[in-house]
Amino acid sequence: MFASASAIPNVQNEVRDCHARKPAAFYLAGDSTTAAQSAGGGGWGIGFLKTLVNGATGIDFGHNGATTVSFVAGADWPSVLDAVSRSKVDFVPYVTIQFGHNDQKAAANISIDQFTTNLKNMASQVIAAGGTPILVTSLSRRNYNSSGLITEDLAPQRAATIAAATSMNVSYIDLNAASIKYLNSIGSAKADTYNLVATDRTHLNAAGSVVFGTMVSWLLETTISEGKDISGYTQANRTILDAVKAGAYILPTV
């Protein structure tokens, strides 16, 4: 079948218009720093999902203790891919992929090369299922050194995540760098108010989830090529967003 050159732009415009009318669906894959607040963990996921508007939907698939190996080997990853496949008719599905906290532990026995390959495989599978993968560098822990600055103990995982995204030509948001910058600005005492429990400087309480979920919303809107399409479906609280952007401490009421 032959189509004239003059007809092709019209078809492309129709496809784009159809795509634009579909609301976004966000499926969050990750470890406990993405997961919902619980006795064993809590991350930014629920705080981000609270920003969704205009018919957008989402599910936090974050799993406490997960690595790029265990998440795929268990039921979590098939559930993410199934959600993408089922929703793509009515939504534009995005999958955020954030791992590193547990992959770096010696007991996991996951090298940086394997970690990078695992992220690339996950991104490829999202694309094959009909979704758009967005890699996310790890949320920073809130441990400070003697100079009063964050200990950057996830730097190798951050670099590997960026390398995986770049090699796949997919988008990534640098949550690690953004969270470090914010935490360095507010200092240790205020950062501790986001702890899930008093001595837990990895996981977030509900207020912390809102702060860093807002940060994720901001990064998605402003730092990736898909941001223009995403911006209509995530709307952060302006007061919280302004504080995050300015590096000013805020403790949302939740």
Side-chain angles (χ1 to χ4, degrees), residues 160-181:
T161 302
I162 294 171
T166 301
S167 70
M168 291 288 297
N169 195 29
V170 301
S171 293
Y172 72 89
I173 61 170
D174 198 352
L175 179 60
N176 185 257
S179 56
I180 287 171
K181 182 178 180 180

Side-chain angles (χ1 to χ4, degrees), residues 122-145:
M122 294 174 82
S124 295
Q125 290 168 26
V126 170
I127 294 169
T132 298
I134 301 171
L135 272 58
V136 182
T137 63
S138 293
L139 176 71
S140 178
R141 297 184 178 99
R142 295 176 301 284
N143 296 316
Y144 290 75
N145 60 29

